[in-house]
Amino acid sequence: MKKILKLAFTDFKLIFRDPSLKSFLILPLVLFALIIWAVPPLLEEYVFLVPYLSLFLVVAVIENTQLFCFINTMVLIDEKESEVAKVYGIVPLSKLEYIVSRFLIPYLFTVALNLILLFVQTICELSVVSILLISFLAALVVPVYALAVNSIVQNRMQGMVYVKAFNMLVLIPVAAFFVPDKFVHLFGVFPTHWVFQSIHVATQSLSIGLHAAIGFVFLLTLLWLVSRIFIRKHFG
Amino acid sequence: MNSFGSQLKWQFVLLQKNSIIAVSFAVTLMYGLVLYFLRDINGLDKLVVALVLNDPSVIGYFFIALSIYIELKHQILQAIFVTPFNLHHLLISKVISISLIGAVCSLGLAFSVKGFDFNIVLFAIGSLAISVLSALLGLYMLTFSDEILKFTMTSIPVFLVFVNLPLIQYLGVLELGVVKYILPIQGSLDLIDYAVSGTTVNFVYAVVSIVVFIPLFYWMAFRRFSSKIVHQ
């Protein structure tokens, strides 16, 4: 555990050593500003947006996850291109410990971002339990996304191409908000659908237990799968 | 095959090698399936226009910059620059290849919603113009950064003004009045809007806008690229 934490903190410092990566940390602040100061007046001005208020939270929560999805994806691709990945292959850490160390802080950071966002937003009332569940669930997108992209791509060019594709896969369940009720869960094949539906149900002051449970099982299963593929591909 | 034709062919080969063609088409197919599924909801024409504004512009703007950064990083362009190459051929072939992919993806989105019930020619012209302008803007902007992450950060405000300002004006969130007519993609946006929704449009303005802005953007990109990248 000590080794994992040491590597986790060292790895996290990489972001602050690279000015271009560090500048991405401004983006959550922009998002917070939009959600706190721009969205409430917009909802007052345009009444037709009121039925979609959960959608604003959905987009905000998922955009918070995209910060470290992108940063971790790029860091791992860079290590692959510069062949640093092979060095990680021989350090005295198991591959699983390596993955935990690389994603522990980004995951917790993303959880914290969403906790703060959901507590400070004034768009709708959410219970503390719902906020906690949604924050821990949504942040699982980060390791799944970054490991999945890095299991496919060979270089930065391909990385950016697949980042664009994965962004679409992450956001596509938004369409479930515009279809008749009987078709909503057709989007359940996309893992983020269960995150989005959890948020939607939470905004109606209903229990999110079932949606969140499906989301956790789905994302953790995907995480296990992509971790195995990533380990096979990344250190070769 | 002449030099330009050869350049164009190899640009497509490179795009395919880096999965850009396959992934762009796969993404379009996914969007298309969802849009087809949603085709009976209100306001879908606006959603198509919004997607067309965002998708090809992102393809053009970011992927052209990314390809050049990678070629610079691997010393490919530096090697090309000492050969008797034609910079116009290089830039135009890059712009055309990436823009055609953007335009084809846009058409795919429109077909999924409208079938053949829209003005295909005007839509193709509008979406191709957006892709070309985005690619040329990407070429111009990449000269201000030395790597893709810095380029991405510096691009956020530029891209907001270039794409999102016309988009929020189009969606009715903001009223820019006559100011909208100086926006580079407004003419192309009007053509796309007319093609899918039959909205009244000033064709003279739309055509003049495209005919003026594409050469202007090319001139800016060429001069900047030539001085900052080729003759650095």
Side-chain angles (χ1 to χ4, degrees), chain B residues 151-170:
Chain B
F151 168 79
T152 305
M153 280 310 288
T154 53
S155 295
I156 290 171
V158 175
F159 210 71
L160 281 174
V161 173
F162 180 71
V163 171
N164 294 49
L165 199 58
L167 178 60
I168 56 177
Q169 143 82 36
Y170 166 74

Side-chain angles (χ1 to χ4, degrees), chain B residues 107 110-111 115-127 195-196:
Chain B
L107 278 166
F111 283 129
F116 289 93
D117 188 24
F118 69 106
N119 192 317
I120 298 169
V121 174
L122 289 180
F123 186 92
I125 292 168
S127 58
V196 295

Side-chain angles (χ1 to χ4, degrees), chain A residues 20-21 23-24 46 70 81 156-158 160-162 164-165 168-169 172 175 178-179 183 186 190, chain B residues 17-20 23 27 30-31 34 37-38 41 55 63 66-67 70 73 147-150 153 173:
Chain A
S20 45
L21 283 180
S23 57
F24 279 85
Y46 300 101
F70 183 75
E81 278 195 321
R156 196 172 271 224
M157 180 80 170
Q158 287 182 356
M160 289 295 271
V161 174
Y162 278 92
K164 183 179 177 290
M168 191 270 297
L169 287 175
I172 227 166
F178 302 97
V179 299
F183 296 125
L186 283 178
F190 299 97
Chain B
K17 185 175 177 290
N18 287 309
S19 314
I20 288 178
V23 172
V27 168
M30 293 291 290
Y31 274 136
V34 172
F37 194 64
L38 300 174
I41 68 164
D55 204 50
F63 289 166
L66 187 61
S67 70
I70 286 170
K73 184 182 172 184
E147 59 108 29
I148 191 69
L149 292 179
K150 285 180 192 162
M153 280 310 288
V173 178

